[in-house]
Amino acid sequence: MQLDPGRLSQKENYKWLIGTVLPRPIAFVTSISASGVVNAAPFSFFNVVATEPPMVGFACMRKPDGEMKDTAKNIIGQREFVVHTVSEENVALVNETAVDFPPDQSEAEKVGLHLLPSAVVRVPRIQEAKIHMECKLHRHVPIGGNGRHPNADFLIGEVVRVHLDEGLYDQGKVDTGALKPVGRMAGRSYVKGGEMFSMPRLSYDEWLIKHEKSRGSNPG
């Protein structure tokens, strides 16, 4: 079976994309409007984009008429935001912030999340998250679209301060088991951390040795 994205609708392309790029990490983003309203919203088109300096990026899809969503407007206007991890403990409240609240209302306040002051940026953090990444806008890239307006706004932030729960970070590593991260699947589905496994990344010489042994034990 083959699909031709050029012959499919935006909705059809969206469905096969979210059904194949799995699982997707979730960026729970706080931003602040020019009038001081704190916006909080989840985004699953999210990932690390650089490590020196550390940067993260996420795509904020536009509304059907091409208008930017509040998060994108706020970040472009104020040039700051905070990215939080989503875990088993806070995912239900994070999901509620996806409700289309009016721009003059704070999703965080409406669903009962608690705000904390940030150390570097003006945008507040969410107390109920285990990891907070304070970010300054590095680049805004309008992406895609139908010729009349872009389909999404890709926002890249430089991480200028990180906050982690006590006991979560040890010897340079984050305890994934204690974090209990949650990711997005297709439709309305989420996924928990689940079973983990490790595999070594071989050097070229190690790979040659491994396959020489394999061929030696299985002569043609």
Side-chain angles (χ1 to χ4, degrees):
M1 180 181 181
Q2 297 183 34
L3 298 177
D4 180 355
R7 299 176 67 87
L8 300 178
S9 68
Q10 185 272 337
K11 186 175 182 180
E12 288 170 325
N13 281 324
Y14 173 80
K15 284 188 174 181
W16 71 256
L17 278 166
I18 65 169
T20 55
V21 183
L22 300 169
R24 299 187 307 282
I26 306 169
F28 185 38
V29 180
T30 50
S31 60
I32 192 167
S33 71
S35 61
V37 177
V38 177
N39 177 275
F43 299 90
S44 68
F45 289 8
F46 162 63
N47 219 315
V48 174
V49 297
T51 58
E52 189 179 3
M55 294 186 189
V56 293
F58 70 97
C60 183
M61 309 304 290
R62 292 205 180 186
K63 297 179 181 180
D65 63 358
E67 182 183 358
M68 285 184 184
K69 290 186 177 177
D70 294 338
T71 297
K73 289 180 184 177
N74 292 347
I75 293 174
I76 293 167
Q78 308 304 316
R79 304 192 66 80
E80 296 178 338
F81 59 102
V82 182
V83 174
H84 307 79
T85 55
V86 178
S87 63
E88 294 178 26
E89 292 88 347
N90 65 19
V91 65
L93 289 176
V94 169
N95 182 58
E96 286 191 30
T97 66
V99 171
D100 191 18
F101 288 102
D104 62 347
Q105 296 183 16
S106 170
E107 294 87 352
E109 179 182 339
K110 286 293 183 180
V111 307
L113 292 166
H114 299 86
L115 301 178
L116 298 172
S118 291
V120 179
V121 303
R122 291 192 309 115
V123 180
R125 302 176 286 128
I126 300 294
Q127 179 177 311
E128 286 78 5
K130 294 180 178 179
I131 300 177
H132 319 146
M133 291 177 277
E134 298 184 30
C135 300
K136 291 193 175 182
L137 180 63
H138 172 73
R139 186 170 299 175
H140 162 231
V141 185
I143 292 179
N146 53 18
R148 296 191 302 274
H149 51 73
N151 175 250
D153 295 284
F154 189 63
L155 301 153
I156 301 172
E158 178 182 344
V159 182
V160 294
R161 190 64 54 90
V162 184
H163 305 260
L164 305 99
D165 272 11
E166 292 294 331
L168 200 60
Y169 186 72
D170 183 45
Q171 298 183 22
K173 296 180 180 180
V174 174
D175 184 341
T176 308
L179 178 59
K180 297 181 180 179
V182 170
R184 280 305 306 270
M185 301 294 281
R188 300 178 180 179
S189 300
Y190 291 78
V191 61
K192 297 179 182 180
E195 181 181 353
M196 293 189 293
F197 61 94
S198 299
M199 291 190 294
R201 181 175 179 175
L202 303 178
S203 68
Y204 178 60
D205 289 339
E206 289 171 331
W207 184 88
L208 286 175
I209 292 170
K210 175 183 176 182
H211 285 272
E212 282 296 329
K213 288 180 177 179
S214 176
R215 283 194 290 269
S217 61
N218 292 285

